[in-house]
Amino acid sequence: MQKLLLITSLVVSIFAENTNYAYTNWNTVQGTLSTNSTLENYEQTIWLVYISIGVPAQDFTVQIDTGSNILWVPYTDCPRCDISTRYNPNGQEYFSPNGSTYYQAYGSGECSGYVATDMVSIQDTDINTTFAMMFATMEQGFAFPTVMDGIMGISNNQTFTNIFQAAFNAGQIPTELYGLILNQAPLPSTLIFGDIDPNLLNQIQWVIPNDIYRWKLFINAFTINGQDYSSLMGSVQSAILDSGTTELLVTQDLYNVLLKDYLIPSGCFMSGSIYCPCQPTADALAYLPNITVAFNVVNVTIPFFNLLQGYYVAATGDVCQVMMSYLSGAPFMVFGDPALLSIIPIFNKTANEIGIIGGVPNGIPNGDYPGNDEIDEAVG
């Protein structure tokens, strides 16, 4: 079983080399030892985990996605698949179709196929368990078909059993807790689960989602550099924590304020997307936005530099893309990788709770929130 030592002093020292990281929440995290699997960070766009399916094992590299429900890889007979790595059921000891089909849509991309049970392991860990997944006979529209072989959905949709629940039920891990430590390169990113050290758990602020199908949290307040812009959320008062989304997707009104009042005055510009200097001047730092949201009981700050793709590997004088946009007409915002870079989320699916490490308690009681009446219907 692999172990991870998260050495806070190293992380903080890297951040301290640039005072732009004064707002980061990482400096609240203490060292911890946890069961883990290394995640591959592909261009700070998708985070990948290595798994095996079947006996004998077939290897796949799948995106880890807190925003969707089901694990899928392409089936051997997939005439409408762009991904070349396929699952072949011939000679598989545990492959067992259940006679149903499933369709899954994403922000970009879609797939459908047969549902079947088989043995799945996360490579180099103790997890090696059986549960239902989808073997796609159609997939299209995904941005990186040559990089990923499928997607492992780990949302809180209660109609699906994910790999951590299955491993816990089989006695392979002591709890069904799982979480993500996402970092910009060159720092490592990690999937943690099961045997999570109490020193880490003691730092958690537990938050109750206002949705039984998605990791969606009610937002009490939205501030930028200390200025309250909560009114610009309008009726959209929730956000999904989604590792399958590369951007911070806010309301159009919030986006306009961020762009016009903060990014453009600091020297950023539009060219299809938003671009900012990777190494801004001291004057520009006065404008660059650090976003703080109140998720129920805990305040979470998203430092501006977590919005910049490739910040650590950019050369002096380069510009970095700002991973932020807006949604029109959606009933919630989507807090993708820039938000998850700012915290360590720990998920407890059975209890329907999210533990946030790296936030600051705000004194708001946990319990029922406005927005609990907006629980959405199940997808699929």
Side-chain angles (χ1 to χ4, degrees):
M1 182 181 295
Q2 289 184 314
K3 297 289 183 180
L4 165 71
L5 181 62
L6 177 61
I7 306 174
T8 305
S9 59
L10 171 62
V11 176
V12 173
S13 68
I14 293 174
F15 284 149
E17 292 176 4
N18 190 327
T19 56
N20 302 330
Y21 272 95
Y23 291 94
T24 183
N25 291 314
W26 277 99
N27 58 7
T28 67
V29 176
Q30 304 301 311
T32 185
L33 195 66
S34 297
T35 313
N36 79 96
S37 178
T38 300
L39 295 174
E40 179 184 345
N41 176 354
Y42 181 75
E43 297 183 354
Q44 200 186 320
T45 303
I46 57 176
W47 272 261
L48 302 162
V49 64
Y50 301 101
I51 66 171
S52 298
I53 301 176
V55 177
Q58 301 177 43
D59 295 340
F60 297 88
T61 302
V62 294
Q63 180 182 6
I64 197 82
D65 181 19
T66 61
S68 63
N69 308 320
I70 196 168
L71 167 65
W72 67 267
V73 296
Y75 191 63
T76 185
D77 183 15
C78 188
R80 297 178 58 191
C81 283
D82 296 323
I83 296 171
S84 59
T85 303
R86 311 286 176 86
Y87 171 87
N88 189 337
N90 292 335
Q92 288 297 314
E93 182 176 349
Y94 294 99
F95 177 72
S96 178
N98 69 6
S100 65
T101 60
Y102 189 74
Y103 169 81
Q104 178 73 58
Y106 300 87
S108 60
E110 61 179 343
C111 59
S112 62
Y114 304 111
V115 177
T117 298
D118 206 339
M119 183 75 70
V120 182
S121 65
I122 297 178
Q123 294 181 12
D124 300 320
T125 76
D126 287 345
I127 290 182
N128 185 37
T129 189
T130 57
F131 63 101
M133 68 202 77
M134 181 176 71
F135 295 94
T137 56
M138 181 280 291
E139 57 86 4
Q140 60 184 7
F142 294 101
F144 302 102
T146 61
V147 174
M148 71 175 199
D149 302 326
I151 294 176
M152 180 184 286
I154 51 173
S155 75
N156 67 328
N157 191 315
Q158 299 299 311
T159 60
F160 293 85
T161 298
N162 67 33
I163 191 170
F164 304 106
Q165 289 176 301
F168 172 68
N169 293 337
Q172 296 173 357
I173 53 177
T175 76
E176 63 172 84
L177 299 180
Y178 57 94
L180 301 173
I181 300 176
L182 301 187
N183 282 307
Q184 294 195 41
L187 295 177
S189 296
T190 309
L191 173 67
I192 59 176
F193 51 86
D195 187 18
I196 299 177
D197 190 271
N199 291 329
L200 184 59
L201 295 177
N202 288 340
Q203 301 170 68
I204 287 179
Q205 298 293 319
W206 289 104
V207 183
I208 301 172
N210 64 338
D211 192 322
I212 59 173
Y213 305 112
R214 305 177 179 92
W215 294 120
K216 181 158 70 72
L217 298 177
F218 180 73
I219 299 177
N220 300 84
F222 191 110
T223 64
I224 305 169
N225 291 355
Q227 180 72 35
D228 189 358
Y229 290 96
S230 302
S231 63
L232 299 184
M233 294 191 298
S235 62
V236 182
Q237 296 183 310
S238 299
I240 295 173
L241 297 184
D242 184 7
S243 66
T245 297
T246 60
E247 297 178 301
L248 191 74
L249 301 176
V250 296
T251 66
Q252 187 168 1
D253 286 342
L254 287 170
Y255 174 87
N256 290 338
V257 165
L258 285 160
L259 179 63
K260 295 176 182 178
D261 294 355
Y262 292 91
L263 296 176
I264 298 300
S266 66
C268 304
F269 61 92
M270 289 288 298
S271 180
S273 298
I274 308 171
Y275 294 88
C276 292
C278 298
Q279 306 293 336
T281 65
D283 290 341
L285 288 176
Y287 291 98
L288 292 174
N290 296 287
I291 298 168
T292 298
V293 294
F295 283 135
N296 299 342
V297 301
V298 61
N299 291 349
V300 170
T301 294
I302 304 170
F304 167 72
F305 286 88
N306 282 356
L307 294 169
L308 293 186
Q309 186 176 35
Y311 166 71
Y312 274 124
V313 297
T316 301
D318 283 356
V319 294
C320 291
Q321 183 177 350
V322 178
M323 306 306 290
M324 182 186 72
S325 189
Y326 63 88
L327 293 171
S328 296
F332 46 76
M333 292 179 271
V334 178
F335 280 25
D337 298 336
L340 296 175
L341 286 164
S342 307
I343 59 173
I344 298 176
I346 304 293
F347 302 99
N348 186 335
K349 184 176 176 182
T350 295
N352 196 32
E353 293 181 324
I354 300 175
I356 293 179
I357 301 172
V360 178
N362 57 27
I364 298 174
N366 215 339
D368 294 329
Y369 307 99
N372 276 347
D373 56 356
E374 66 179 40
I375 291 177
D376 305 289
E377 66 276 7
V379 176

